[in-house]
């Protein structure tokens, strides 16, 4: 992966802030992304992901903060940034009554690309869309629509791709293919910042950043983020896990109780307290279920972060618990 030399820093923003009315929706956000990295941007609905992405690519002017994107100043050079970044919006934003080829041709005109016909053909081939080039965008399945949107956002060969929930509503195979494509593009030097709500997608990123209520509350590799949460997990397996869930829920030291099929995941910050709580619930239920120590999942950590941020959602609280070192 690229080092921190200036030419390898693709996004570098400090203290980015955006207010809508009297609500601060992005609050003092600083982040950096290096060349060739795939960085996941996660956080609950309304936490400020889309707003941050739009400020990075010059579509929205911040109320505070500064920084660069592709070496250009996000405040002064917004127009140049817009032309050099590939941005896949959260909602499908192409013409449903144009074919795939016509949509790409339209985008190529907007970017004023030379050799338009050849560029469109190359893009169709590169993204596996050539056979479908004459299909109307409106008639495509979710996976093919998303592929068209990706094609349109990489056609002008940007060095940075900003993807806003690119795979929402797309089936697992199409999602996997999409991510294989993203990794191929990153191997060729493209840098990617991608927002998602899917845990498996977070796990395919080199690094993740978690934002809640406009503030970044965790960042690092998936392992770093899990480690820094200091959460422990016990897994209860057997019959009657539903009854055990009820019994264990209000025990001290238990923060989360979630059934996964025939297993129950019980999560808390103190391993000794957690074990005591689970064993007490098992004994009280008379069940023959067994409890073992398990791995804490990224989802458990995110739920913790969301709850912590919710409790701390007041100005001036700074870092929430669990922020890993960058
Ligand atoms: N143009 C706008 N005017 C007023 N409020 C806005 C505007 N755009 C976004 N917001 C508000 O800013 C907050 C952050 O929204 P944003 O779309 O950035 O969140 P998000 O993290 O992308 O959420 P999601 O996961 O649902 O896409 C929300 O409360 C939203 O309602
Ligand atoms: Mg969004």
């Amino acid at each position: 992966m690229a080092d921190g030399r200036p030419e390898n820093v693709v996004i570098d923003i400090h203290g980015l802030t955006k207010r809508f009315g009297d609500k601060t929706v992005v609050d003092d956000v600083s982040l950096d992304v290096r060349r060739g990295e795939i960085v996941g941007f996660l956080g609950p609905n309304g936490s400020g992901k889309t707003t941050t992405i739009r400020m990075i690519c010059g579509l929205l002017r911040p109320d505070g903060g500064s920084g660069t994107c592709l070496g250009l100043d996000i405040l002064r050079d917004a127009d140049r940034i817009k032309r050099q970044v590939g941005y896949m919006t959260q909602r499908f934003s192409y013409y449903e009554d144009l074919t795939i080829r016509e949509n790409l041709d339209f985008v190529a005109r907007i970017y004023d690309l030379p050799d338009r016909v050849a560029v469109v053909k190359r893009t169709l081939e590169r993204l596996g869309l050539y056979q479908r080039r004459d299909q109307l965008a409106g008639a495509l399945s979710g996976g093919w629509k998303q592929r068209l949107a990706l094609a349109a956002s990489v056609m002008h060969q940007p060095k940075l791709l900003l993807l806003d929930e690119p795979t929402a509503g797309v089936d697992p195979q199409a999602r996997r293919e999409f991510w294989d494509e993203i990794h191929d593009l990153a191997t060729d030097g493209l840098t990617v910042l991608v927002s998602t709500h899917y845990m498996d997608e977070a796990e395919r990123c080199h690094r993740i950043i978690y934002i809640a209520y406009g503030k970044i509350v965790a960042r690092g590799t998936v392992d770093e983020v899990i480690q820094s949460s200091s959460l422990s997990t016990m897994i209860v397996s057997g019959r009657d896990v539903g009854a055990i869930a009820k019994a264990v829920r209000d025990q001290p030291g238990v923060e989360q109780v979630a059934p996964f099929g025939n297993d129950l995941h019980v999560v808390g910050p103190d391993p000794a307290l957690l074990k005591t709580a689970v064993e007490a619930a098992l004994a009280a239920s008379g069940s023959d279920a067994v409890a073992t120590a398990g791995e804490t999942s990224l989802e458990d950590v995110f739920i913790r972060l969301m709850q912590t941020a919710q409790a701390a959602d007041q100005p001036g609280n700074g870092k929430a618990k669990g922020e890993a070192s960058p």
Side-chain angles (χ1 to χ4, degrees):
M1 205 176 298
D3 59 32
R5 282 179 297 174
E7 64 271 30
N8 285 328
V9 176
V10 175
I11 301 175
D12 188 20
I13 55 167
H14 303 275
L16 217 58
T17 298
K18 184 73 195 174
R19 283 179 287 274
F20 288 119
D22 58 1
K23 198 171 161 208
T24 303
V25 302
V26 174
D27 193 357
D28 195 17
V29 162
S30 300
L31 62 89
D32 68 292
V33 178
R34 275 161 267 165
R35 189 157 65 86
E37 270 195 307
I38 302 175
V39 175
F41 199 22
L42 289 105
N45 290 130
S47 56
K49 300 180 296 296
T50 299
T51 306
T52 303
I53 290 172
R54 288 168 63 82
M55 289 192 283
I56 291 172
C57 67
L59 281 171
L60 193 65
R61 196 175 165 80
D63 294 316
S66 61
T68 59
C69 176
L70 295 168
L72 298 166
D73 188 302
I74 57 163
L75 297 172
R76 284 200 315 266
D77 302 322
D79 284 339
R80 286 172 70 197
I81 294 173
K82 267 185 264 181
R83 294 184 69 84
Q84 291 186 30
V85 164
Y87 174 39
M88 190 166 154
T89 53
Q90 189 165 354
R91 282 205 197 107
F92 184 74
S93 49
Y94 298 93
Y95 290 101
E96 305 230 323
D97 51 357
L98 295 185
T99 66
I100 290 180
R101 190 191 57 75
E102 288 165 341
N103 267 296
L104 292 184
D105 189 71
F106 180 77
V107 174
R109 279 173 199 269
I110 294 177
Y111 280 102
D112 206 12
L113 298 181
D115 295 331
R116 214 175 60 241
V117 174
V119 168
V120 169
K121 183 162 185 276
R122 191 179 65 219
T123 307
L124 287 166
E125 286 168 347
R126 168 80 182 77
L127 272 297
L129 288 163
Y130 192 74
Q131 301 298 327
R132 294 176 185 261
R133 64 190 179 283
D134 293 325
Q135 288 186 9
L136 288 178
L140 298 172
S141 67
W144 287 105
K145 273 190 177 153
Q146 165 226 44
R147 197 158 271 261
L148 164 60
L150 180 64
S153 50
V154 299
M155 191 163 43
H156 61 298
Q157 298 188 293
K159 293 195 174 65
L160 170 66
L161 200 50
L162 299 169
L163 306 172
D164 200 358
E165 294 189 36
T167 62
V170 168
D171 72 43
Q173 190 184 337
R175 279 172 53 201
R176 179 163 293 189
E177 286 169 7
F178 183 85
W179 274 87
D180 291 345
E181 193 70 58
I182 296 302
H183 273 272
D184 284 350
L185 290 164
T187 305
D188 294 341
L190 190 74
T191 304
V192 182
L193 177 67
V194 50
S195 81
T196 177
H197 288 291
Y198 296 117
M199 297 302 123
D200 59 322
E201 295 192 346
E203 284 166 355
R204 295 197 68 171
C205 296
H206 297 125
R207 220 154 43 86
I208 54 175
I209 295 172
Y210 189 89
I211 184 170
Y213 295 93
K215 292 191 173 81
I216 293 180
V217 292
R219 64 175 104 210
T221 63
V222 168
D223 285 345
E224 285 167 353
V225 169
I226 292 176
Q227 288 297 322
S228 68
S229 75
S230 304
L231 286 175
S232 299
T233 297
M234 291 204 72
I235 298 176
V236 181
S237 315
R239 285 182 294 119
D240 289 337
V241 290
I244 297 164
K246 278 190 188 147
V248 82
R249 192 160 279 138
D250 296 325
Q251 296 289 324
V254 174
E255 279 192 3
Q256 298 176 37
V257 181
F260 284 82
N262 297 317
D263 290 346
L264 191 68
H265 290 207
V266 190
V267 181
D270 178 332
L273 213 53
L274 187 69
K275 192 161 183 278
T276 307
V278 170
E279 283 171 356
L282 275 176
S285 73
S287 154
D288 59 359
V290 289
T292 49
E295 303 239 327
T296 299
S297 71
L298 195 57
E299 186 170 279
D300 299 331
V301 176
F302 286 165
I303 289 171
R304 167 56 137 34
L305 289 171
M306 198 167 127
Q307 289 168 347
T308 314
Q310 212 163 13
D313 183 30
Q314 294 155 15
N317 269 309
K319 266 189 191 178
K321 246 172 33 188
E323 176 156 13
S325 308

